[in-house]
Amino acid sequence: MPAPHDVVGHLFVCRPLTSNTHLGEVYVFVRPGARRHGVGTALLALGERLAVDAGRTVLYSATAHGTEPPAGEGAIEATTGSGRVPVDAPGVRLALAHGYALEQVDRHSVLDLPMPPGLLDRLGTAASAAAGDDYRTLTWTDEVPDVWADQVALLFTRMSTDAPVGGVDYGEDPWDAPRVRTWVRERQERGHGFLMTVAEHVPTRTLAAFTVLEHPWDRPAVVHQEDTLVLHEHRGRRLGMHVKVVNLRALVEARPQARRVHTGNAEENTHMLAINVAIGFRPAGTWASWQKRVGARSPAPETARPGTERPETARPDTEQPDTEQPDQERDA
């Protein structure tokens, strides 16, 4: 068995964190000094074979990049028409050479804390006024009350159908109350805390929007902005801004040592990006989603309805340098 310093690359093959069985994820990592010697090609071929043998008909992979390049010969644009990556990057060359399509580019953004004095008050006042008396917010710390578990499950399910996915064939990912409780328990087991703010439509006693901030207890400076969703039937009332401001206020109170909030948004998701820019998030890299079809499958769902924020798939609990690549393996 080779010593760790002799390992020049590795392969990661998995099923995505959904109930779908058609999609397989294949990730290849090669040390810079070992590139252009066929290592990546060999690992990718092995990963694809393992995924296909497991019955996968759609293969997904991802690459991380720094600043988005300008349009032109040195860049390739996503099929959504929003977002570009450098065509000469090693991962891009490998994906293109093996038949993968660039289906989506996500912007990795960082919010530096503390925020300017008064900013959350100004944003929150305007958003609350737009929401009106028909909506109220509830914030939960490290729990989802049982009485709301079914409705939170619906919000998570709608994240899989309403969030921008470009042409990636994720499919619907159904949630129920037991899965929500499992999600809460897994956060605890990983040593993570979370803050969830929801917007309740008071006349119907139903949840209309939610947002989640997650933080590792052993890294007090770091926070990840996870899912944000406004159900389409409740859009146009600034609920996305409303729940995010309330949740950030709760974060400042609960985690005063926090210094950075990381998130990811599809470049075509102009609505949620505008909210984040107004709050103070700055671009810090890109995350590219690649797809290759290897078998029969119905067409991918339509792209992106605004009002959602979805972390990228399969992201490890690490923080990468802002100028090099997005907060990977995603929160996106």
Side-chain angles (χ1 to χ4, degrees), residues 22-23 58 79 103 161 165-172 291 293 297-304:
H22 69 278
L23 184 68
V58 179
T79 58
E103 299 287 8
T161 59
V165 297
V168 181
D169 192 0
Y170 292 112
E172 184 181 30
Q291 181 173 263
R293 296 184 183 276
R297 174 69 184 167
S298 59
E302 290 184 7
T303 325

Short mmCIF file of all heavy atoms in Angstrom, two decimals, residues 22-23 58 79 103 161 165-172 291 293 297-304:
data_model
loop_
_atom_site.label_atom_id
_atom_site.label_comp_id
_atom_site.label_asym_id
_atom_site.label_seq_id
_atom_site.Cartn_x
_atom_site.Cartn_y
_atom_site.Cartn_z
N HIS A 22 -31.40 7.69 -10.16
CA HIS A 22 -30.89 7.79 -11.52
C HIS A 22 -29.60 8.60 -11.60
O HIS A 22 -28.84 8.47 -12.56
CB HIS A 22 -31.93 8.44 -12.44
CG HIS A 22 -32.16 9.89 -12.12
ND1 HIS A 22 -32.99 10.30 -11.11
CD2 HIS A 22 -31.65 11.02 -12.68
CE1 HIS A 22 -32.99 11.62 -11.06
NE2 HIS A 22 -32.18 12.09 -11.99
N LEU A 23 -29.35 9.44 -10.60
CA LEU A 23 -28.23 10.37 -10.64
C LEU A 23 -27.07 9.86 -9.79
O LEU A 23 -27.25 9.49 -8.64
CB LEU A 23 -28.67 11.74 -10.13
CG LEU A 23 -27.65 12.86 -10.20
CD1 LEU A 23 -27.37 13.23 -11.66
CD2 LEU A 23 -28.16 14.10 -9.45
N VAL A 58 -27.58 9.21 -15.24
CA VAL A 58 -27.11 10.59 -15.34
C VAL A 58 -25.93 10.75 -14.39
O VAL A 58 -26.03 10.37 -13.22
CB VAL A 58 -28.22 11.60 -14.99
CG1 VAL A 58 -27.69 13.03 -15.07
CG2 VAL A 58 -29.42 11.43 -15.90
N THR A 79 -25.13 26.38 -19.79
CA THR A 79 -26.28 26.26 -20.69
C THR A 79 -27.43 27.17 -20.26
O THR A 79 -28.33 27.44 -21.05
CB THR A 79 -26.78 24.81 -20.75
OG1 THR A 79 -27.13 24.38 -19.41
CG2 THR A 79 -25.71 23.89 -21.30
N GLU A 103 -23.85 22.71 -17.01
CA GLU A 103 -25.27 22.98 -16.88
C GLU A 103 -25.59 24.19 -16.00
O GLU A 103 -26.65 24.80 -16.14
CB GLU A 103 -25.99 21.76 -16.31
CG GLU A 103 -25.88 20.50 -17.16
CD GLU A 103 -26.73 20.56 -18.42
OE1 GLU A 103 -27.30 21.63 -18.72
OE2 GLU A 103 -26.83 19.53 -19.12
N THR A 161 -37.65 21.14 -6.02
CA THR A 161 -38.40 21.38 -7.26
C THR A 161 -38.43 22.85 -7.65
O THR A 161 -38.58 23.17 -8.83
CB THR A 161 -39.85 20.88 -7.13
OG1 THR A 161 -40.49 21.56 -6.03
CG2 THR A 161 -39.88 19.38 -6.87
N VAL A 165 -31.83 24.84 -10.80
CA VAL A 165 -30.93 23.69 -10.98
C VAL A 165 -30.31 23.66 -12.37
O VAL A 165 -29.59 22.72 -12.70
CB VAL A 165 -31.67 22.35 -10.72
CG1 VAL A 165 -32.15 22.28 -9.29
CG2 VAL A 165 -32.83 22.16 -11.70
N GLY A 166 -30.57 24.69 -13.20
CA GLY A 166 -30.06 24.66 -14.56
C GLY A 166 -30.63 23.44 -15.27
O GLY A 166 -31.81 23.13 -15.16
N GLY A 167 -29.78 22.73 -15.97
CA GLY A 167 -30.22 21.52 -16.65
C GLY A 167 -29.92 20.25 -15.89
O GLY A 167 -30.09 19.15 -16.41
N VAL A 168 -29.46 20.37 -14.64
CA VAL A 168 -29.10 19.18 -13.87
C VAL A 168 -30.36 18.42 -13.48
O VAL A 168 -31.31 18.99 -12.94
CB VAL A 168 -28.29 19.54 -12.61
CG1 VAL A 168 -27.90 18.28 -11.85
CG2 VAL A 168 -27.04 20.32 -12.99
N ASP A 169 -30.37 17.13 -13.74
CA ASP A 169 -31.56 16.30 -13.57
C ASP A 169 -31.63 15.73 -12.15
O ASP A 169 -31.52 14.53 -11.94
CB ASP A 169 -31.52 15.17 -14.60
CG ASP A 169 -32.84 14.44 -14.71
OD1 ASP A 169 -33.79 14.81 -13.99
OD2 ASP A 169 -32.93 13.51 -15.52
N TYR A 170 -31.81 16.61 -11.17
CA TYR A 170 -31.89 16.15 -9.78
C TYR A 170 -33.17 15.38 -9.51
O TYR A 170 -33.19 14.39 -8.80
CB TYR A 170 -31.81 17.33 -8.81
CG TYR A 170 -30.50 18.04 -8.77
CD1 TYR A 170 -30.38 19.34 -9.24
CD2 TYR A 170 -29.36 17.43 -8.24
CE1 TYR A 170 -29.16 20.02 -9.20
CE2 TYR A 170 -28.15 18.09 -8.18
CZ TYR A 170 -28.06 19.38 -8.66
OH TYR A 170 -26.86 20.05 -8.61
N GLY A 171 -34.28 15.87 -10.04
CA GLY A 171 -35.57 15.26 -9.74
C GLY A 171 -36.08 15.70 -8.37
O GLY A 171 -35.38 16.35 -7.59
N GLU A 172 -37.31 15.35 -8.06
CA GLU A 172 -37.90 15.71 -6.77
C GLU A 172 -37.28 14.89 -5.65
O GLU A 172 -37.00 13.69 -5.81
CB GLU A 172 -39.42 15.49 -6.79
CG GLU A 172 -40.09 15.94 -5.49
CD GLU A 172 -41.59 15.71 -5.51
OE1 GLU A 172 -42.02 14.75 -6.19
OE2 GLU A 172 -42.32 16.47 -4.84
N GLN A 291 -22.83 17.78 -16.18
CA GLN A 291 -23.71 16.62 -16.29
C GLN A 291 -23.44 15.86 -17.59
O GLN A 291 -23.15 16.46 -18.63
CB GLN A 291 -25.17 17.07 -16.25
CG GLN A 291 -26.18 15.93 -16.35
CD GLN A 291 -27.59 16.43 -16.13
OE1 GLN A 291 -28.13 16.34 -15.06
NE2 GLN A 291 -28.19 16.97 -17.19
N ARG A 293 -25.27 12.45 -19.66
CA ARG A 293 -26.31 11.43 -19.70
C ARG A 293 -25.74 10.16 -20.32
O ARG A 293 -25.12 10.20 -21.38
CB ARG A 293 -27.51 11.93 -20.49
CG ARG A 293 -28.18 13.13 -19.84
CD ARG A 293 -29.44 13.57 -20.58
NE ARG A 293 -30.00 14.75 -19.95
CZ ARG A 293 -30.81 14.73 -18.90
NH1 ARG A 293 -31.17 13.57 -18.38
NH2 ARG A 293 -31.27 15.85 -18.38
N ARG A 297 -33.60 8.64 -19.94
CA ARG A 297 -34.11 9.42 -18.81
C ARG A 297 -35.02 10.51 -19.36
O ARG A 297 -34.74 11.08 -20.40
CB ARG A 297 -32.95 10.03 -18.03
CG ARG A 297 -33.34 10.98 -16.90
CD ARG A 297 -33.99 10.26 -15.75
NE ARG A 297 -34.42 11.20 -14.74
CZ ARG A 297 -35.24 10.90 -13.74
NH1 ARG A 297 -35.70 9.68 -13.61
NH2 ARG A 297 -35.59 11.81 -12.86
N SER A 298 -36.10 10.79 -18.64
CA SER A 298 -36.99 11.85 -19.08
C SER A 298 -36.28 13.19 -19.00
O SER A 298 -35.30 13.34 -18.28
CB SER A 298 -38.24 11.87 -18.18
OG SER A 298 -37.86 12.07 -16.83
N PRO A 299 -36.77 14.19 -19.76
CA PRO A 299 -36.10 15.50 -19.77
C PRO A 299 -35.98 16.09 -18.37
O PRO A 299 -36.82 15.84 -17.50
CB PRO A 299 -37.01 16.35 -20.65
CG PRO A 299 -37.74 15.37 -21.51
CD PRO A 299 -37.92 14.15 -20.66
N ALA A 300 -34.94 16.89 -18.18
CA ALA A 300 -34.72 17.55 -16.89
C ALA A 300 -35.82 18.57 -16.64
O ALA A 300 -36.42 19.09 -17.56
CB ALA A 300 -33.36 18.24 -16.88
N PRO A 301 -36.09 18.87 -15.35
CA PRO A 301 -37.11 19.86 -15.04
C PRO A 301 -36.71 21.25 -15.52
O PRO A 301 -35.55 21.52 -15.79
CB PRO A 301 -37.17 19.83 -13.50
CG PRO A 301 -35.86 19.28 -13.09
CD PRO A 301 -35.44 18.33 -14.16
N GLU A 302 -37.74 22.14 -15.63
CA GLU A 302 -37.47 23.50 -16.05
C GLU A 302 -36.56 24.20 -15.05
O GLU A 302 -36.52 23.86 -13.89
CB GLU A 302 -38.78 24.28 -16.15
CG GLU A 302 -39.65 23.83 -17.32
CD GLU A 302 -40.87 24.70 -17.44
OE1 GLU A 302 -40.95 25.71 -16.72
OE2 GLU A 302 -41.74 24.36 -18.25
N THR A 303 -35.84 25.18 -15.57
CA THR A 303 -34.88 25.90 -14.76
C THR A 303 -35.55 26.91 -13.86
O THR A 303 -36.49 27.56 -14.24
CB THR A 303 -33.92 26.67 -15.66
OG1 THR A 303 -33.70 25.93 -16.82
CG2 THR A 303 -32.65 26.95 -14.98
N ALA A 304 -35.04 27.07 -12.69
CA ALA A 304 -35.08 28.19 -11.77
C ALA A 304 -36.29 29.05 -11.71
O ALA A 304 -36.53 29.85 -12.56
CB ALA A 304 -33.92 29.09 -12.06
#
